């Protein structure tokens, strides 16, 4: 059974940093691209970032480019999102999602999310 | 960036009725790389349809997807109580990947 468990969400002040993690199990992690998607309160889904299976292809939404860094550790079956210079508008539930063997593939499994709140 | 516009914003229907949801793209979606997801608040989003018309594993056949280019449709033939949720379309044919704003299907 595929499982994606996010962690690391917290309440943080503007300008500070936070690192999210996603622990994956139930599939061969290093065969698949992985993504982060967020949902701000009362809003829809927004793709944040994605990383290919071998970390050679990485993409970011314009709203987080140059502030967030995605990475993965295939030996640990884990995905990460380093979030720097956080802003109130980054407040959201952050989901980890499993992609496909190539970059342009739908997301077939999602985690339950971890909550990030940015406020002074 | 491809902008996806979903309509209507809210659909008020009764169980057993047919639901038709629309997703329009600001430019053609490459390869019909268009997916539909169901999201119940408090739960993980669930993949329903990929490649515009292929049902994901375990998805009932009352869910169907159609369309190509810039216009896509999700149809739920007969609404069951568990189908009342928010539905999002997503294009994954070009970067950045984008989602539509969602359609809420609520009980009338």
């Amino acid at each position: 059974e595929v499982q994606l468990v996010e962690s690391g969400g917290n309440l943080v002040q503007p300008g500070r940093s936070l690192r999210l993690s996603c622990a994956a199990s139930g599939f061969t992690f290093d065969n698949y691209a992985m993504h982060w998607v967020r949902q701000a309160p009362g809003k829809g889904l927004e793709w944040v970032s994605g990383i290919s299976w071998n970390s050679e292809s990485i993409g970011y939404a314009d709203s987080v480019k140059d502030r967030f860094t995605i990475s993965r550790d295939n030996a640990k079956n884990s995905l990460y999102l380093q979030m720097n210079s956080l802003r109130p508008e980054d407040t959201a539930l952050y989901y980890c999602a499993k992609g496909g063997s190539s970059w342009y593939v739908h997301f077939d499994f999602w985690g339950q999310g971890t909550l990030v709140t940015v406020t002074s | 960036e491809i902008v996806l516009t979903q309509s209507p914003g809210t659909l008020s229907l009764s169980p057993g009725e047919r639901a038709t949801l629309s997703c329009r793209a600001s430019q053609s979606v490459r390869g019909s790389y268009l997916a539909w997801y169901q999201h119940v608040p408090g739960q993980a989003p669930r993949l329903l349809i990929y490649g515009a018309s292929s049902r994901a594993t375990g998805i009932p056949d009352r869910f169907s997807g159609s369309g190509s280019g810039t216009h896509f449709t999700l149809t739920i033939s007969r609404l069951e109580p568990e189908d009342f949720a928010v539905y999002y379309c997503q294009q994954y044919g070009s970067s950045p990947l984008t989602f539509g704003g969602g359609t809420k299907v609520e009980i009338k």
Side-chain angles (χ1 to χ4, degrees):
Chain A
E1 179 192 3
V2 172
Q3 287 201 331
L4 298 171
V5 180
E6 302 93 337
S7 61
N10 210 334
L11 189 150
V12 63
Q13 292 180 325
R16 303 299 290 266
S17 298
L18 207 57
R19 190 196 197 204
L20 305 184
S21 299
C22 171
S25 61
F27 65 102
T28 306
F29 183 72
D30 55 10
N31 280 359
Y32 296 94
M34 297 294 295
H35 299 265
W36 289 99
V37 177
R38 68 185 180 183
Q39 184 177 33
K43 303 293 186 181
L45 300 175
E46 179 189 17
W47 177 77
V48 173
S49 181
I51 185 168
S52 63
W53 66 274
N54 58 2
S55 303
E56 288 188 356
S57 293
I58 287 176
Y60 298 97
D62 286 345
S63 57
V64 306
K65 202 172 293 183
D66 300 325
R67 298 188 301 122
F68 290 10
T69 302
I70 192 172
S71 62
R72 64 190 296 162
D73 185 337
N74 288 343
K76 295 183 177 180
N77 288 351
S78 293
L79 175 72
Y80 306 102
L81 186 68
Q82 177 66 40
M83 303 186 295
N84 298 333
S85 303
L86 282 162
R87 304 167 179 168
E89 54 265 36
D90 295 318
T91 294
L93 188 60
Y94 284 74
Y95 295 100
C96 164
K98 173 180 171 283
S101 55
S102 68
W103 179 256
Y104 297 107
V105 179
H106 52 277
F107 304 165
D108 59 356
F109 287 98
W110 300 58
Q112 296 282 347
T114 187
L115 183 62
V116 173
T117 304
V118 184
T119 181
S120 53
Chain B
E1 171 177 325
I2 295 180
V3 176
L4 299 178
T5 302
Q6 291 188 240
S7 61
T10 302
L11 204 47
S12 298
L13 295 167
S14 301
E17 290 193 293
R18 181 185 188 89
T20 303
L21 288 65
S22 173
C23 175
R24 290 188 180 272
S26 60
Q27 54 188 280
S28 185
V29 175
R30 182 177 73 90
S32 291
Y33 287 166
L34 192 288
W36 290 92
Y37 301 89
Q38 178 191 65
H39 192 199
V40 175
Q43 297 183 16
R46 179 172 73 146
L47 174 69
L48 299 174
I49 301 288
Y50 63 94
S53 61
S54 298
R55 265 189 305 277
T57 302
I59 300 303
D61 61 8
R62 64 180 181 273
F63 290 93
S64 63
S66 63
S68 64
T70 61
H71 189 207
F72 300 87
T73 301
L74 174 70
T75 301
I76 311 171
S77 59
R78 293 174 312 281
L79 283 165
E80 297 288 339
E82 62 268 26
D83 298 338
F84 291 93
V86 182
Y87 293 83
Y88 294 94
C89 59
Q90 177 212 26
Q91 70 80 22
Y92 51 93
S94 60
S95 192
L97 311 184
T98 50
F99 289 89
T103 291
K104 181 181 181 180
V105 178
E106 65 176 22
I107 299 176
K108 186 175 182 180

